Amino acid sequence: MKVIAHRGGAGLGGVENTMDAFVNAIKLGVDMVEFDVRRTKDNALIVIHDSEIDGRKISDMTFDEIQEVAGRKGFAVPTFIDVIKLCHGKVFMDIEIKETGYEKRVVRILHKYLDYDEYSVKSFYDVTPYRIKMLDNKITVGLLLGRDDADFRMRYNEIFPMRRLRACRADFVCPYPLLMLFSFTRRMNYYGYPVYVWTVNNELVMRYFLSFTRVAGLITDRPDRLKELISKSKKGARPHRFPV
Protein backbone atom coordinates (compact mmCIF):
# COMPACT_ATOMS: atom_id res chain seq x y z
CA MET A 1 0.00 0.00 0.00
CA LYS A 2 1.31 3.43 -0.97
CA VAL A 3 1.63 6.11 1.72
CA ILE A 4 0.56 9.42 0.20
CA ALA A 5 1.19 12.63 2.16
CA HIS A 6 -1.92 14.81 1.75
CA ARG A 7 -0.83 18.40 1.00
CA GLY A 8 2.66 17.33 2.02
CA GLY A 9 1.44 15.78 5.27
CA ALA A 10 -0.81 18.43 6.79
CA GLY A 11 -0.79 16.71 10.17
CA LEU A 12 2.98 16.56 10.55
CA GLY A 13 3.20 20.11 11.86
CA GLY A 14 3.89 23.32 9.98
CA VAL A 15 1.81 24.69 7.12
CA GLU A 16 0.34 22.39 4.46
CA ASN A 17 1.29 22.73 0.78
CA THR A 18 4.49 24.60 1.57
CA MET A 19 8.08 23.80 0.68
CA ASP A 20 8.78 22.86 4.31
CA ALA A 21 5.85 20.43 4.27
CA PHE A 22 7.19 18.65 1.19
CA VAL A 23 10.72 18.52 2.62
CA ASN A 24 9.33 16.90 5.79
CA ALA A 25 7.34 14.35 3.77
CA ILE A 26 10.39 13.46 1.69
CA LYS A 27 12.50 13.03 4.84
CA LEU A 28 9.81 10.77 6.28
CA GLY A 29 10.11 8.54 3.24
CA VAL A 30 6.55 8.65 1.90
CA ASP A 31 5.74 7.01 -1.42
CA MET A 32 3.99 10.08 -2.82
CA VAL A 33 3.26 13.69 -1.98
CA GLU A 34 -0.16 15.07 -2.90
CA PHE A 35 -0.66 18.76 -3.62
CA ASP A 36 -3.10 21.22 -5.19
CA VAL A 37 -2.59 23.59 -8.11
CA ARG A 38 -4.52 26.81 -8.71
CA ARG A 39 -4.14 29.78 -11.06
CA THR A 40 -3.85 33.39 -9.91
CA LYS A 41 -5.20 36.55 -11.53
CA ASP A 42 -1.83 37.15 -13.22
CA ASN A 43 -1.71 33.52 -14.49
CA ALA A 44 0.80 32.16 -12.01
CA LEU A 45 0.29 28.49 -11.17
CA ILE A 46 0.65 28.09 -7.41
CA VAL A 47 0.33 25.29 -4.87
CA ILE A 48 -2.52 26.03 -2.48
CA HIS A 49 -5.66 24.17 -1.50
CA ASP A 50 -8.29 26.74 -0.58
CA SER A 51 -9.99 28.86 -3.22
CA GLU A 52 -9.70 31.90 -0.94
CA ILE A 53 -7.14 33.45 1.35
CA ASP A 54 -8.07 36.05 3.95
CA GLY A 55 -11.57 36.23 2.46
CA ARG A 56 -10.41 36.95 -1.09
CA LYS A 57 -10.54 34.60 -4.05
CA ILE A 58 -7.20 33.29 -5.26
CA SER A 59 -8.35 33.80 -8.86
CA ASP A 60 -8.93 37.52 -8.16
CA MET A 61 -5.46 38.11 -6.68
CA THR A 62 -1.98 38.37 -8.16
CA PHE A 63 0.79 36.10 -6.97
CA ASP A 64 2.49 38.99 -5.16
CA GLU A 65 -0.75 39.89 -3.36
CA ILE A 66 -1.17 36.29 -2.24
CA GLN A 67 2.41 36.15 -1.00
CA GLU A 68 1.90 39.35 0.96
CA VAL A 69 -1.15 37.93 2.75
CA ALA A 70 0.56 34.57 3.34
CA GLY A 71 3.66 36.32 4.68
CA ARG A 72 1.56 38.06 7.32
CA LYS A 73 0.34 34.63 8.36
CA GLY A 74 3.88 33.30 8.61
CA PHE A 75 4.31 31.19 5.50
CA ALA A 76 5.04 31.42 1.77
CA VAL A 77 2.98 29.99 -1.08
CA PRO A 78 5.16 28.06 -3.53
CA THR A 79 4.72 28.02 -7.27
CA PHE A 80 3.93 24.80 -9.12
CA ILE A 81 7.40 24.85 -10.66
CA ASP A 82 9.03 25.37 -7.24
CA VAL A 83 7.37 22.22 -5.91
CA ILE A 84 8.10 19.95 -8.85
CA LYS A 85 11.74 21.08 -8.88
CA LEU A 86 12.00 20.25 -5.19
CA CYS A 87 10.37 16.82 -5.56
CA HIS A 88 12.05 15.84 -8.84
CA GLY A 89 14.07 12.68 -8.33
CA LYS A 90 13.05 12.42 -4.67
CA VAL A 91 9.38 11.43 -4.47
CA PHE A 92 6.40 10.67 -6.72
CA MET A 93 3.98 13.59 -7.15
CA ASP A 94 0.19 13.21 -6.95
CA ILE A 95 -0.96 16.48 -8.53
CA GLU A 96 -4.52 17.72 -8.12
CA ILE A 97 -5.74 20.37 -10.55
CA LYS A 98 -8.34 22.42 -8.67
CA GLU A 99 -9.88 24.21 -11.66
CA THR A 100 -10.21 23.74 -15.40
CA GLY A 101 -8.79 25.79 -18.25
CA TYR A 102 -5.03 25.54 -17.82
CA GLU A 103 -4.42 21.86 -18.56
CA LYS A 104 -2.27 22.64 -21.61
CA ARG A 105 0.05 24.81 -19.54
CA VAL A 106 0.35 22.16 -16.84
CA VAL A 107 1.33 19.59 -19.46
CA ARG A 108 3.97 21.90 -20.93
CA ILE A 109 5.53 22.34 -17.49
CA LEU A 110 5.45 18.62 -16.77
CA HIS A 111 7.14 17.88 -20.10
CA LYS A 112 9.86 20.41 -19.33
CA TYR A 113 10.77 19.30 -15.81
CA LEU A 114 9.65 15.71 -15.18
CA ASP A 115 9.60 12.18 -16.55
CA TYR A 116 6.32 10.28 -16.89
CA ASP A 117 7.13 7.96 -13.98
CA GLU A 118 7.46 10.86 -11.51
CA TYR A 119 3.88 12.08 -11.33
CA SER A 120 0.17 11.61 -11.92
CA VAL A 121 -2.55 14.23 -12.40
CA LYS A 122 -6.09 14.10 -11.06
CA SER A 123 -9.16 16.28 -10.63
CA PHE A 124 -12.78 16.31 -9.47
CA TYR A 125 -13.65 17.65 -12.92
CA ASP A 126 -13.96 14.93 -15.57
CA VAL A 127 -12.87 17.30 -18.32
CA THR A 128 -9.39 17.76 -16.83
CA PRO A 129 -8.12 14.15 -17.11
CA TYR A 130 -9.78 13.95 -20.51
CA ARG A 131 -8.02 17.07 -21.81
CA ILE A 132 -4.67 15.94 -20.42
CA LYS A 133 -5.01 12.54 -22.09
CA MET A 134 -5.85 14.27 -25.37
CA LEU A 135 -2.70 16.36 -25.04
CA ASP A 136 -0.51 13.39 -24.07
CA ASN A 137 -1.93 9.91 -23.53
CA LYS A 138 1.25 8.79 -21.75
CA ILE A 139 0.41 10.90 -18.70
CA THR A 140 -1.25 8.97 -15.87
CA VAL A 141 -4.53 10.64 -14.88
CA GLY A 142 -7.19 10.01 -12.27
CA LEU A 143 -10.68 11.04 -11.20
CA LEU A 144 -11.49 12.24 -7.67
CA LEU A 145 -14.84 11.24 -6.20
CA GLY A 146 -16.64 12.81 -3.24
CA ARG A 147 -17.68 16.35 -4.13
CA ASP A 148 -19.35 18.33 -1.36
CA ASP A 149 -21.96 19.74 -3.75
CA ALA A 150 -23.03 16.39 -5.23
CA ASP A 151 -26.75 15.83 -5.76
CA PHE A 152 -28.33 12.35 -5.74
CA ARG A 153 -27.48 11.63 -9.37
CA MET A 154 -23.86 12.71 -9.01
CA ARG A 155 -23.47 10.72 -5.80
CA TYR A 156 -24.82 7.62 -7.53
CA ASN A 157 -22.30 8.12 -10.33
CA GLU A 158 -19.53 8.39 -7.73
CA ILE A 159 -20.46 5.06 -6.17
CA PHE A 160 -20.79 3.53 -9.64
CA PRO A 161 -18.26 5.58 -11.66
CA MET A 162 -17.37 3.23 -14.53
CA ARG A 163 -19.05 5.29 -17.23
CA ARG A 164 -17.31 8.45 -16.04
CA LEU A 165 -13.91 6.75 -15.71
CA ARG A 166 -14.07 5.46 -19.26
CA ALA A 167 -15.34 8.74 -20.69
CA CYS A 168 -12.61 10.86 -19.07
CA ARG A 169 -9.93 8.23 -19.85
CA ALA A 170 -8.87 7.89 -16.22
CA ASP A 171 -6.13 5.44 -15.23
CA PHE A 172 -7.01 5.39 -11.51
CA VAL A 173 -9.74 6.50 -9.13
CA CYS A 174 -9.63 8.42 -5.81
CA PRO A 175 -12.82 7.95 -3.76
CA TYR A 176 -13.81 9.38 -0.42
CA PRO A 177 -14.08 6.42 2.03
CA LEU A 178 -17.86 6.59 2.51
CA LEU A 179 -18.36 6.10 -1.24
CA MET A 180 -16.76 2.68 -1.15
CA LEU A 181 -19.99 0.70 -1.05
CA PHE A 182 -21.16 -2.43 -2.87
CA SER A 183 -17.66 -3.95 -3.29
CA PHE A 184 -16.31 -0.71 -4.78
CA THR A 185 -12.65 -1.73 -4.68
CA ARG A 186 -13.34 -5.16 -6.13
CA ARG A 187 -15.32 -3.61 -8.98
CA MET A 188 -12.62 -1.05 -9.75
CA ASN A 189 -9.82 -3.61 -9.63
CA TYR A 190 -11.79 -5.95 -11.90
CA TYR A 191 -11.78 -3.24 -14.57
CA GLY A 192 -8.14 -2.34 -13.94
CA TYR A 193 -8.47 0.86 -11.92
CA PRO A 194 -6.16 1.22 -8.90
CA VAL A 195 -7.94 2.79 -5.91
CA TYR A 196 -6.32 5.57 -3.85
CA VAL A 197 -8.54 6.61 -0.93
CA TRP A 198 -8.71 10.17 0.46
CA THR A 199 -8.36 11.50 3.14
CA VAL A 200 -7.81 8.77 5.74
CA ASN A 201 -6.64 10.10 9.11
CA ASN A 202 -8.44 7.89 11.62
CA GLU A 203 -6.26 5.01 12.83
CA LEU A 204 -9.14 2.52 12.92
CA VAL A 205 -9.99 3.32 9.31
CA MET A 206 -6.32 2.99 8.33
CA ARG A 207 -6.27 -0.46 9.94
CA TYR A 208 -9.43 -1.40 8.10
CA PHE A 209 -7.98 -0.50 4.72
CA LEU A 210 -4.71 -2.22 5.50
CA SER A 211 -6.67 -5.46 5.63
CA PHE A 212 -7.63 -5.01 1.96
CA THR A 213 -4.57 -5.34 -0.26
CA ARG A 214 -6.62 -4.35 -3.30
CA VAL A 215 -6.51 -0.71 -2.13
CA ALA A 216 -3.44 0.74 -3.85
CA GLY A 217 -2.82 3.60 -1.43
CA LEU A 218 -4.13 5.93 1.24
CA ILE A 219 -3.94 9.71 1.07
CA THR A 220 -3.48 10.98 4.63
CA ASP A 221 -2.51 13.98 6.72
CA ARG A 222 -0.65 11.56 9.01
CA PRO A 223 1.71 9.59 6.78
CA ASP A 224 3.93 9.00 9.79
CA ARG A 225 1.21 7.05 11.58
CA LEU A 226 0.26 5.11 8.46
CA LYS A 227 3.87 4.09 7.92
CA GLU A 228 4.02 2.82 11.50
CA LEU A 229 0.88 0.72 11.00
CA ILE A 230 2.17 -0.73 7.75
CA SER A 231 5.45 -1.63 9.44
CA LYS A 232 3.58 -3.40 12.24
CA SER A 233 1.37 -5.29 9.79
CA LYS A 234 4.45 -6.54 7.93
CA LYS A 235 5.77 -7.90 11.22
CA GLY A 236 2.69 -10.06 11.59
CA ALA A 237 0.29 -7.93 13.63
CA ARG A 238 -3.30 -8.94 13.02
CA PRO A 239 -5.17 -6.34 10.89
CA HIS A 240 -8.14 -4.64 12.52
CA ARG A 241 -11.59 -5.08 11.01
CA PHE A 242 -13.55 -1.87 10.99
CA PRO A 243 -17.25 -2.01 10.10
CA VAL A 244 -17.46 0.44 7.19
Side-chain angles (χ1 to χ4, degrees):
M1 179 179 288
K2 301 295 185 184
V3 177
I4 307 166
H6 185 233
R7 308 179 196 172
L12 296 176
V15 181
E16 66 184 31
N17 273 331
T18 60
M19 298 293 273
D20 287 343
F22 299 119
V23 168
N24 289 338
I26 292 168
K27 288 180 178 178
L28 182 63
V30 301
D31 298 299
M32 306 182 194
V33 291
E34 186 267 357
F35 58 87
D36 310 283
V37 179
R38 291 188 181 275
R39 182 171 59 181
T40 66
K41 181 180 179 180
D42 55 346
N43 291 316
L45 295 184
I46 63 172
V47 173
I48 191 169
H49 175 268
D50 294 349
S51 61
E52 297 183 354
I53 185 169
D54 213 25
R56 298 176 62 189
K57 289 185 177 181
I58 297 295
S59 58
D60 292 337
M61 301 172 68
T62 66
F63 179 56
D64 287 343
E65 289 172 334
I66 293 166
Q67 286 291 46
E68 182 180 350
V69 174
R72 293 200 298 267
K73 296 176 179 290
F75 68 96
V77 175
T79 67
F80 179 40
I81 292 176
D82 286 338
V83 174
I84 63 176
K85 282 184 175 181
L86 171 69
C87 296
H88 170 55
K90 301 182 184 73
V91 67
F92 191 93
M93 285 159 269
D94 178 26
I95 303 165
E96 180 182 346
I97 305 301
K98 301 297 288 186
E99 305 131 327
T100 64
Y102 47 88
E103 292 87 355
K104 186 178 293 186
R105 187 169 171 207
V106 166
V107 169
R108 285 200 303 266
I109 291 171
L110 294 173
H111 283 167
K112 181 175 180 180
Y113 291 99
L114 301 175
D115 297 324
Y116 291 115
D117 61 356
E118 292 188 272
Y119 66 90
S120 60
V121 182
K122 66 186 181 186
S123 179
F124 280 106
Y125 299 100
D126 301 45
V127 68
T128 292
Y130 177 79
R131 286 175 177 171
I132 289 174
K133 277 292 190 184
M134 292 299 291
L135 291 165
D136 186 345
N137 64 11
K138 293 181 182 178
I139 295 177
T140 301
V141 298
L143 184 65
L144 276 157
L145 304 175
R147 288 181 56 168
D148 290 336
D149 59 350
D151 56 18
F152 176 81
R153 181 177 179 180
M154 181 180 291
R155 195 66 81 208
Y156 178 87
N157 287 324
E158 289 181 328
I159 297 171
F160 299 97
M162 283 306 306
R163 180 190 59 81
R164 291 178 62 192
L165 292 170
R166 290 182 178 129
C168 76
R169 303 179 65 184
D171 299 299
F172 63 94
V173 60
C174 290
Y176 188 71
L178 295 180
L179 297 174
M180 299 177 69
L181 305 172
F182 310 110
S183 302
F184 183 95
T185 305
R186 186 176 299 174
R187 286 186 281 120
M188 296 303 101
N189 284 194
Y190 178 81
Y191 290 105
Y193 292 99
V195 177
Y196 298 92
V197 189
W198 71 277
T199 300
V200 180
N201 294 327
N202 183 282
E203 184 174 321
L204 289 178
V205 182
M206 288 181 184
R207 289 178 182 273
Y208 168 78
F209 282 116
L210 281 172
S211 69
F212 290 87
T213 56
R214 292 187 181 91
V215 172
L218 298 182
I219 301 169
T220 177
D221 294 327
R222 291 301 307 270
D224 54 338
R225 190 64 188 127
L226 179 56
K227 282 178 66 68
E228 290 175 8
L229 293 175
I230 291 174
S231 178
K232 289 179 181 178
S233 69
K234 288 179 178 179
K235 293 177 181 178
R238 187 177 180 180
H240 184 85
R241 291 282 177 174
F242 185 74
V244 172

